[in-house]
Amino acid sequence: MAEKAKIAILVSGRGSNMAALVYAAKSTDCPYEIVLVASNNAEAPGLKLAEAEDIATFAHSHQGLSREEHDKIMHDAIVHSGAEYVVLAGYMRILSDGFVEKWVNRMLNIHPSLLPKYRGLDTYQRAIDAGDTVAGCSVHLVTTELDDGPVLGQTEVAILPDDDAERLASRILIAEHQLYPKILAKYVTREADPAWILNRVRERALALTETHERESFGSPGWRVGSEKTGKYFAYFTQKLHGEASVGLLVKTSGLDEQAALIDADPDLYYAPKFYGKSGWIAIRLNTGRTDWDHIADWLYKSWRLVAPKRLTKMIDIADQF
Ligand code: GRF
């Protein structure tokens, strides 16, 4: 199994979601491990539980510090632990923009409502007062807006006629404990998911001028030019012609460039079957270290090689200066 993703959990109190994550991480096939539990409250019960489970802990009070100063202390402790992701589990602090930006796309939170409904506190009573028949919980990526950011997963929980906030909260908590470990596992392994990879390639290919997608022998491909006369500049391969890896096929200037690339970085490049003879190169996309700007550059280079003159003429002129 691939190396496990390293997770730091931030808690302020009880830490039941933290416990759910800690226990989930004990299973050998769990794709993450908890390397740190940190808190702004040295008395947080969650810290004691983490210690008992032999997980490194860190606590530093926010009192007397500015938001930025305290976040910096937490950030340094997280970096020191080697964590690649930050998971908020009842961390009752609003985070500074600077901290959020450092962990963009690598920080998750759980919130006890069906976002975008009921951001902030008192979510259960607000759902009951509104006469909702369902409430629930959401796991989302953290952005600089409170309880905003793309939702990664939700669980709906029915509201019973005699529910009060406490009873509803306790049932939502059961749902939280199942949702968080599952969504975190999915999120940290997304880069190995061919559907996720395909979408990232697609976004970049279709961002180029006058492009469209068309399948070729069952593989998604991208063409430049009109629907009728367009030419392929890229293909997505997943087990294409019997190959095991997930990759992107783009055009090079010819067989010499193809050979030089494979020579320089054989872990990244290979000659694709069938297309290889005409100078196309395959770039592996499931290495877990894909540089997406590099992929965008390759798509552009390949696009340029096959795009009609009317699209590249101005670029060619500009390049001469
Ligand atoms: C949970 O309800 C969670 O949704 C919210 O804070 C609470 C934390 O509870 N963000 P616990 O500390 O995980 O038990």
Side-chain angles (χ1 to χ4, degrees), residues 14-17 90 110-112 124 176:
R14 181 176 58 180
S16 71
N17 276 288
I110 189 156
H111 183 75
Y124 319 104
E176 290 185 29

PDB file of all heavy atoms in Angstrom, residues 14-17 90 110-112 124 176, ligand 1:
ATOM      1  N   ARG A  14     -14.267  18.275  23.558  1.00  0.00           N
ATOM      2  CA  ARG A  14     -14.570  16.860  23.743  1.00  0.00           C
ATOM      3  C   ARG A  14     -13.763  15.922  22.844  1.00  0.00           C
ATOM      4  O   ARG A  14     -13.221  14.925  23.280  1.00  0.00           O
ATOM      5  CB  ARG A  14     -16.073  16.733  23.449  1.00  0.00           C
ATOM      6  CG  ARG A  14     -16.685  15.409  23.581  1.00  0.00           C
ATOM      7  CD  ARG A  14     -18.174  15.559  23.353  1.00  0.00           C
ATOM      8  NE  ARG A  14     -18.478  16.136  22.018  1.00  0.00           N
ATOM      9  CZ  ARG A  14     -19.711  16.359  21.577  1.00  0.00           C
ATOM     10  NH1 ARG A  14     -20.750  16.083  22.337  1.00  0.00           N
ATOM     11  NH2 ARG A  14     -19.896  16.877  20.380  1.00  0.00           N
ATOM     12  N   GLY A  15     -13.718  16.240  21.567  1.00  0.00           N
ATOM     13  CA  GLY A  15     -12.878  15.444  20.669  1.00  0.00           C
ATOM     14  C   GLY A  15     -13.476  14.123  20.240  1.00  0.00           C
ATOM     15  O   GLY A  15     -12.737  13.171  19.958  1.00  0.00           O
ATOM     16  N   SER A  16     -14.805  14.048  20.139  1.00  0.00           N
ATOM     17  CA  SER A  16     -15.364  12.752  19.722  1.00  0.00           C
ATOM     18  C   SER A  16     -15.119  12.491  18.231  1.00  0.00           C
ATOM     19  O   SER A  16     -14.914  11.348  17.833  1.00  0.00           O
ATOM     20  CB  SER A  16     -16.852  12.662  20.075  1.00  0.00           C
ATOM     21  OG  SER A  16     -17.616  13.500  19.259  1.00  0.00           O
ATOM     22  N   ASN A  17     -15.131  13.531  17.415  1.00  0.00           N
ATOM     23  CA  ASN A  17     -14.787  13.325  15.998  1.00  0.00           C
ATOM     24  C   ASN A  17     -13.327  12.926  15.852  1.00  0.00           C
ATOM     25  O   ASN A  17     -12.975  12.091  15.019  1.00  0.00           O
ATOM     26  CB  ASN A  17     -15.075  14.587  15.177  1.00  0.00           C
ATOM     27  CG  ASN A  17     -16.521  14.652  14.757  1.00  0.00           C
ATOM     28  OD1 ASN A  17     -16.954  13.896  13.893  1.00  0.00           O
ATOM     29  ND2 ASN A  17     -17.278  15.517  15.404  1.00  0.00           N
ATOM     30  N   GLY A  90     -14.058  20.254  15.808  1.00  0.00           N
ATOM     31  CA  GLY A  90     -14.506  21.019  16.960  1.00  0.00           C
ATOM     32  C   GLY A  90     -13.421  21.976  17.425  1.00  0.00           C
ATOM     33  O   GLY A  90     -13.224  22.168  18.620  1.00  0.00           O
ATOM     34  N   ILE A 110     -15.616  19.717   9.811  1.00  0.00           N
ATOM     35  CA  ILE A 110     -16.945  19.111   9.860  1.00  0.00           C
ATOM     36  C   ILE A 110     -17.879  20.094  10.545  1.00  0.00           C
ATOM     37  O   ILE A 110     -17.510  20.746  11.526  1.00  0.00           O
ATOM     38  CB  ILE A 110     -16.946  17.727  10.546  1.00  0.00           C
ATOM     39  CG1 ILE A 110     -18.319  17.067  10.371  1.00  0.00           C
ATOM     40  CG2 ILE A 110     -16.553  17.814  12.022  1.00  0.00           C
ATOM     41  CD1 ILE A 110     -18.287  15.547  10.460  1.00  0.00           C
ATOM     42  N   HIS A 111     -19.083  20.194   9.990  1.00  0.00           N
ATOM     43  CA  HIS A 111     -20.045  21.180  10.500  1.00  0.00           C
ATOM     44  C   HIS A 111     -21.403  20.500  10.650  1.00  0.00           C
ATOM     45  O   HIS A 111     -21.827  19.778   9.740  1.00  0.00           O
ATOM     46  CB  HIS A 111     -20.122  22.357   9.527  1.00  0.00           C
ATOM     47  CG  HIS A 111     -21.026  23.444  10.007  1.00  0.00           C
ATOM     48  ND1 HIS A 111     -20.668  24.305  11.023  1.00  0.00           N
ATOM     49  CD2 HIS A 111     -22.275  23.790   9.644  1.00  0.00           C
ATOM     50  CE1 HIS A 111     -21.672  25.138  11.246  1.00  0.00           C
ATOM     51  NE2 HIS A 111     -22.665  24.842  10.423  1.00  0.00           N
ATOM     52  N   PRO A 112     -22.089  20.753  11.790  1.00  0.00           N
ATOM     53  CA  PRO A 112     -23.339  20.023  12.028  1.00  0.00           C
ATOM     54  C   PRO A 112     -24.568  20.643  11.372  1.00  0.00           C
ATOM     55  O   PRO A 112     -25.531  20.976  12.041  1.00  0.00           O
ATOM     56  CB  PRO A 112     -23.445  20.027  13.557  1.00  0.00           C
ATOM     57  CG  PRO A 112     -22.753  21.282  13.962  1.00  0.00           C
ATOM     58  CD  PRO A 112     -21.683  21.559  12.951  1.00  0.00           C
ATOM     59  N   TYR A 124     -28.690  23.220  15.276  1.00  0.00           N
ATOM     60  CA  TYR A 124     -29.798  22.266  15.507  1.00  0.00           C
ATOM     61  C   TYR A 124     -31.098  23.023  15.756  1.00  0.00           C
ATOM     62  O   TYR A 124     -32.122  22.731  15.141  1.00  0.00           O
ATOM     63  CB  TYR A 124     -29.489  21.359  16.701  1.00  0.00           C
ATOM     64  CG  TYR A 124     -28.047  20.896  16.736  1.00  0.00           C
ATOM     65  CD1 TYR A 124     -27.128  21.461  17.621  1.00  0.00           C
ATOM     66  CD2 TYR A 124     -27.609  19.928  15.839  1.00  0.00           C
ATOM     67  CE1 TYR A 124     -25.803  21.056  17.631  1.00  0.00           C
ATOM     68  CE2 TYR A 124     -26.280  19.522  15.841  1.00  0.00           C
ATOM     69  CZ  TYR A 124     -25.388  20.101  16.734  1.00  0.00           C
ATOM     70  OH  TYR A 124     -24.084  19.711  16.732  1.00  0.00           O
ATOM     71  N   GLU A 176     -21.808  12.129  12.082  1.00  0.00           N
ATOM     72  CA  GLU A 176     -20.502  12.783  11.910  1.00  0.00           C
ATOM     73  C   GLU A 176     -19.361  11.780  12.035  1.00  0.00           C
ATOM     74  O   GLU A 176     -18.414  11.779  11.249  1.00  0.00           O
ATOM     75  CB  GLU A 176     -20.303  13.876  12.976  1.00  0.00           C
ATOM     76  CG  GLU A 176     -21.183  15.086  12.799  1.00  0.00           C
ATOM     77  CD  GLU A 176     -20.853  16.182  13.807  1.00  0.00           C
ATOM     78  OE1 GLU A 176     -19.709  16.298  14.256  1.00  0.00           O
ATOM     79  OE2 GLU A 176     -21.772  16.935  14.161  1.00  0.00           O
TER      80      GLU A 176
HETATM   81  C1  GRF B   1     -19.205  18.679  16.278  1.00  0.00           C
HETATM   82  O1  GRF B   1     -20.580  18.806  16.373  1.00  0.00           O
HETATM   83  C2  GRF B   1     -18.729  19.256  14.988  1.00  0.00           C
HETATM   84  O2  GRF B   1     -19.651  19.146  13.944  1.00  0.00           O
HETATM   85  C3  GRF B   1     -18.524  20.712  15.302  1.00  0.00           C
HETATM   86  O3  GRF B   1     -18.050  20.713  16.625  1.00  0.00           O
HETATM   87  C4  GRF B   1     -18.473  19.531  17.304  1.00  0.00           C
HETATM   88  C5  GRF B   1     -17.236  18.868  17.832  1.00  0.00           C
HETATM   89  O4  GRF B   1     -17.519  17.785  18.656  1.00  0.00           O
HETATM   90  N1  GRF B   1     -17.622  21.326  14.361  1.00  0.00           N
HETATM   91  P1  GRF B   1     -16.328  16.825  19.108  1.00  0.00           P
HETATM   92  O5  GRF B   1     -15.319  17.679  19.858  1.00  0.00           O
HETATM   93  O6  GRF B   1     -15.745  16.227  17.873  1.00  0.00           O
HETATM   94  O7  GRF B   1     -16.949  15.796  19.992  1.00  0.00           O
END
